Amino acid sequence: MKRSLIASFALVTLSAMVSLNVQAAEDDVRSRMIRFGYGLNEDSNQGRAAKLFAEEVAKASDGKLKVRTFGSASLGSDDQMQNALIGGAQEMMVGSTATLVGITEEMAVWDTPFLFENEQQADAVLDSEVGRKIMDKLEEKGLVGLVYWENGFRNMTNNVRPIEKIEDFEGIKLRVMPNPVFIETFKLLGANAVPLPFSELFTALETKAVDGQENPFNTILSSKFYEVQDYLTITNHVYSPWIVTASKRWWDGLSQTEKGILMEAAAKARDFERKDTRAEGAKALAALKEEGMKVNKISPEVTQQMREKAQPAIQSVIDRVGEDLFQEVQAELEKAKAAQ
Ligand code: TK8
């Protein structure tokens, strides 16, 4: 009797230990399917980096974490995907920080016209503590920000005329991202700013619902905008980051190991993506010329006029994100400039 009691005790204890161990192992890395959406097509800097992210995650998890990538906005526009992440219907995505401003106002700081002069300044500020702080604001809204990738410096295309002087913006029906700072900036410049999701842009250009748009060279090429746009004007009016985000609802259920794998892969993909984007950017410009786009570069004088015209938009960014945060970003930027 006594012996069997001890035996059954031992058995219970043993099985509890075993199940605890199994639990711990399972908690470590489980078999999971991760839907990762993005807006550009597979043959773009965004698509190539998404693919690398999926490969890195598979490698680091022995194939247990399976990232399925969905390009060309096949899971929806940036906006729609963000809402799917918040609701827990989709796990991950990459898209413009600019399309997050409706959710987290602080993101608007990245839309400040002419904030960065070069990519190194952008890297330094985005990857700094204040960059992380802005990213972490997303958590209150049901999103987890992992890392910033590069969309790039934005340039103008349109079908009306090359932009050579400030007056040339006048009356151009210009698609902008659904974002208050972009709408205001281009209104101030004299354009007729029309907010539209990226997924509707090609058709809007093709059907002449809008005359123009603005995006980095890479995107103008990979999205074949040259097929429906005549003029490309190099303005570099703003640097636009992408951000890799996850559904917080889903993320909170992951083990530390799983989170670590995803974070590390997202950072590796970021390093790859920034290099790839920069290497392809110069080639993209040459390719766009070859495709027949008429290219001109705005003069420093007109750039200065653009800055002046856009000044009230900078004030609205400050009102939106708060003076303190805006100054923190400026301070980090000054550090980056001094280091250059
Ligand atoms: C892709 C967009 C795109 C952005 C835009 O989904 O909307 O113009 O530049 O990269 O996020």
Side-chain angles (χ1 to χ4, degrees):
M1 173 68 184
K2 205 177 165 198
R3 203 181 290 160
S4 75
L5 203 70
I6 292 172
S8 63
F9 251 134
L11 202 68
V12 169
T13 320
L14 192 73
S15 66
M17 274 167 63
V18 167
S19 80
L20 223 105
N21 271 337
V22 168
Q23 189 67 39
E26 263 180 12
D27 273 357
D28 229 26
V29 181
R30 293 195 189 180
S31 231
R32 295 181 194 270
M33 168 67 79
I34 303 165
R35 283 158 296 185
F36 185 100
Y38 58 94
L40 303 193
N41 58 47
E42 278 176 32
D43 192 15
S44 67
N45 49 348
Q46 203 175 42
R48 288 189 290 274
K51 185 161 170 275
L52 184 101
F53 172 70
E55 289 165 0
E56 289 295 329
V57 171
K59 234 193 275 170
S61 68
D62 284 330
K64 282 197 193 159
L65 300 179
K66 289 188 189 62
V67 176
R68 263 192 82 183
T69 57
F70 295 86
S72 303
S74 58
L75 294 182
S77 64
D78 282 8
D79 259 21
Q80 288 166 329
M81 289 196 284
Q82 284 153 13
N83 287 324
L85 260 57
I86 292 169
Q90 182 184 328
E91 292 75 26
M92 294 187 74
M93 66 173 286
V94 62
S96 282
T97 55
T99 50
L100 279 167
V101 171
I103 294 172
T104 296
E105 288 213 303
E106 287 84 354
M107 282 289 162
V109 79
W110 310 129
D111 304 327
T112 308
F114 301 105
L115 180 65
F116 300 129
E117 290 157 355
N118 52 51
E119 290 94 353
Q120 289 67 36
Q121 291 174 9
D123 292 356
V125 177
L126 288 162
D127 299 345
S128 73
E129 245 170 69
V130 66
R132 167 56 59 190
K133 181 167 151 185
I134 293 166
M135 202 181 250
D136 287 348
K137 298 262 179 210
L138 293 170
E139 297 215 8
E140 298 157 24
K141 300 295 163 70
L143 294 169
V144 177
L146 278 78
V147 287
Y148 295 103
W149 288 0
E150 173 160 300
N151 188 351
F153 282 100
R154 303 179 77 93
N155 294 298
M156 295 271 309
T157 70
N158 83 94
N159 273 335
V160 181
R161 58 181 93 91
I163 310 292
E164 283 163 343
K165 46 189 190 307
I166 208 89
E167 293 75 26
D168 290 332
F169 282 100
E170 201 59 49
I172 291 183
K173 250 189 164 183
L174 186 79
R175 175 272 175 175
V176 294
M177 290 188 278
N179 165 298
V181 185
F182 276 81
I183 298 172
E184 186 179 354
T185 302
F186 282 99
K187 277 192 181 155
L188 288 164
L189 290 171
N192 180 357
V194 184
L196 268 185
F198 185 82
S199 48
E200 290 170 31
L201 179 51
F202 187 91
T203 309
L205 293 168
E206 192 178 32
T207 59
K208 309 217 178 321
V210 292
D211 303 316
Q213 63 88 45
E214 40 86 55
N215 253 299
F217 298 140
N218 293 311
T219 301
I220 300 170
L221 183 67
S222 64
S223 297
K224 297 193 170 20
F225 292 157
Y226 56 83
E227 287 182 358
V228 288
Q229 293 280 270
D230 297 334
Y231 303 107
L232 165 61
T233 303
I234 305 172
T235 46
N236 291 316
H237 51 273
V238 69
Y239 174 94
S240 172
W242 279 326
I243 182 170
V244 177
T245 48
S247 158
K248 182 161 164 35
R249 231 186 222 195
W250 169 76
W251 182 263
D252 286 348
L254 300 180
S255 69
Q256 285 309 322
T257 313
E258 291 171 327
K259 289 177 185 169
I261 290 172
L262 294 169
M263 273 302 281
E264 207 170 301
K268 272 193 188 163
R270 170 198 63 204
D271 297 345
F272 162 82
E273 194 269 348
R274 284 178 179 166
K275 262 194 221 140
D276 179 47
T277 299
R278 289 161 201 180
E280 291 300 312
K283 289 188 219 161
L285 177 58
L288 291 169
K289 283 183 188 163
E290 256 168 56
E291 292 294 345
M293 288 198 90
K294 295 175 197 77
V295 180
N296 75 302
K297 190 169 171 20
I298 208 139
S299 69
E301 294 72 38
V302 179
T303 304
Q304 189 49 33
Q305 288 173 345
M306 282 177 77
R307 280 175 190 272
E308 282 159 21
K309 284 250 180 198
Q311 203 57 37
I314 299 180
Q315 189 51 50
S316 338
V317 170
I318 299 172
D319 295 345
R320 215 169 271 280
V321 308
E323 181 74 40
D324 290 353
L325 187 66
F326 190 81
Q327 287 314 331
E328 264 183 73
V329 169
Q330 291 299 328
E332 200 58 54
L333 179 56
E334 286 316 313
K335 264 203 261 169
K337 284 183 183 171
Q340 280 196 322

